[in-house]
Amino acid sequence: MKVIRHDIVYKSQVAVIKIKPLYDLHIGAFSCDEDKIKEDVDAVIKDPLAYAIIGGDVCEFINRSDKRHREESMAPFLHGHGDVAQLQIERAVKLLAPLAKHNKVLAVMTGNHEESIAQRYERDVYAELVRNLRRSDGVHIGLGYAGWVQLNMKRINRSKTSSRPTAASTQWCIDAWLSHGYGGGILEGGHALTLGRVFKSYDADLVLMGHRHVFASIRNLQIRLTSYGLIEERAQVAAFCGSYRRSWKQDDTIRAPGASYEQMKGYPPHECGSPWVELNPHTREIHIK
């Protein structure tokens, strides 16, 4: 299990650090909403204190010899081509490279679709994605299927008589446990129970998971005693981060439409995209929006 550490420097007392979890993009699927991906990537780049986590299942990665393959479930740019995995990698890098260029990526994770193609075809597409999305500052961002990201947020003051920065006046460190996710289900209560159980095993301030293609979040409040005999509160936040593969998409072709994965499993339709995670160093609060 890897640990990735990032220092985030900010100036304003009212600054809010934002994280956009880009989980379950499924680039290469017929119902992948690339416009929504571009919209959220642009939003991260435009905000100097916004960052992204790429949370696995970046591409569909279902080859034609795979028993799960259906031509109508593939995006049109893959039709008639042989090495569909390579085309999907190139498409993903094109969409996500602006984040890497601006050092906005906190972590790149693998998902069950990356793991499946590695097992079936001995092709490490995850390593290719990490290599092509590497940061220019040399910080390693390959986290694997699950791991820790530690964010050390520092507010730097400047002296009134000098332009040189002084020591950090505020410092807040949070521990985030990230997983591509596991399991499934339909009812909201099942998602909440899964998120709540994570806190029994991982002492994290923030937990982000995917795989289920749903939005769901919980807050867990702990009351603890400090070494000075003071009682204090600690809020833990956890969320499933949605998906950029729509559960449905209108098919205007003349061929007979195929059934989506969600339709065959009886899953309800879900929103497309992901929430924002907002970190407020001044109040030391974490919010999912």
Side-chain angles (χ1 to χ4, degrees), residues 30-31 60 68-74 245-249 251 255-266:
F30 173 74
S31 56
E60 191 72 349
R68 299 170 296 168
H69 170 261
R70 300 186 68 175
E71 193 74 8
E72 64 269 23
S73 69
M74 298 169 65
R245 192 186 78 181
R246 293 189 176 276
S247 54
W248 65 274
K249 185 175 182 180
D251 187 349
R255 65 174 182 268
S260 69
Y261 175 81
E262 288 81 5
Q263 289 171 334
M264 291 188 291
K265 294 291 185 179

Side-chain angles (χ1 to χ4, degrees), residues 179-197:
S179 170
H180 173 69
Y182 43 82
I186 297 176
L187 299 179
E188 292 83 354
H191 306 315
L193 285 172
T194 299
L195 292 173
R197 291 189 188 106

